[in-house]
Amino acid sequence: GGIVVSCDDESNEAAAASAVLISKLARCSGTLVPAGICLLPEVESWADGDATVVREAGALVLVMSQDSLTSIPQLTAVIESFDRMAKIVLVTLPNFSFPGPAYYKDVLPRIWSGDLAPLRTALTTYLRQISIALNTHASDELLQTQCNSVAERLEAPGRVSLQQKARASLVASP
């Protein structure tokens, strides 16, 4: 599968940053471009409620902005990707804040109608990885460097994913 870039579909900044990221990833050498890159909010089947594009993706780039953690489409991408792919790259925009305990206790139960346990596990697993900052106000050179870091993570072979580690710890715990 190709690379899916997910962002808060209600945020103009996140959509613009994601478009810049995709444009710059397309300039990188390697195997990224032949596999295909798409922006999730622009996929018609996704808009119609079909999560196949996420489930079949080879990698997911989560572009996290101010309201990503309250965006149902963004949370849906998180839960649909968990357990299904080895490559997840977390990209944070300057206005993203990592959640504290109050988010998981108070906010998430109010906005998510599905089973909370798998979503909490997926979120905490994804948010534990070192993110790549994408500063949309930076110079073109710095933006390309940040996008190159995303490309390197996407192309890195032989890494055990955080999802595999989380599944293994869940299976091992009594």
Side-chain angles (χ1 to χ4, degrees):
I3 298 166
V4 173
V5 177
S6 173
C7 68
D8 174 10
D9 63 348
E10 305 253 335
S11 168
N12 291 335
E13 181 184 13
S18 297
V20 167
L21 176 65
I22 289 170
S23 171
K24 294 199 176 294
L25 285 175
R27 294 182 196 161
C28 295
S29 61
T31 59
L32 293 177
V33 176
I37 305 171
C38 70
L39 180 58
L40 192 54
E42 294 180 353
V43 175
E44 189 174 324
S45 61
W46 176 256
D48 293 338
D50 181 359
T52 304
V53 68
V54 173
R55 288 193 294 266
E56 293 180 353
L60 178 68
V61 177
L62 288 169
V63 177
M64 304 301 282
S65 60
Q66 182 175 347
D67 295 323
S68 287
L69 294 174
T70 57
S71 166
I72 297 302
Q74 186 96 4
L75 294 173
T76 302
V78 167
I79 195 69
E80 289 294 335
S81 65
F82 197 68
D83 286 338
R84 291 180 175 85
M85 64 186 65
K87 299 281 182 169
I88 302 290
V89 177
L90 186 66
V91 174
T92 54
L93 299 183
N95 62 0
F96 176 72
S97 297
F98 285 87
Y103 169 78
Y104 295 101
K105 182 180 177 231
D106 301 325
V107 177
L108 195 57
R110 279 197 315 259
I111 61 172
W112 188 255
S113 61
D115 188 359
L116 287 172
L119 182 57
R120 277 190 194 113
T121 300
L123 280 171
T124 56
T125 300
Y126 288 167
L127 295 174
R128 266 189 241 145
Q129 68 176 285
I130 296 172
S131 67
I132 297 171
L134 185 63
N135 187 343
T136 53
H137 304 291
S139 68
D140 189 59
E141 184 178 320
L142 180 56
L143 280 169
Q144 187 63 56
T145 300
Q146 293 167 335
C147 292
N148 289 347
S149 295
V150 173
E152 288 169 11
R153 290 224 191 137
L154 289 168
E155 293 178 327
R159 293 175 39 187
V160 175
S161 71
L162 288 170
Q163 298 92 303
Q164 291 166 331
K165 290 177 185 177
R167 283 191 302 274
S169 69
L170 289 174
V171 170
S173 63

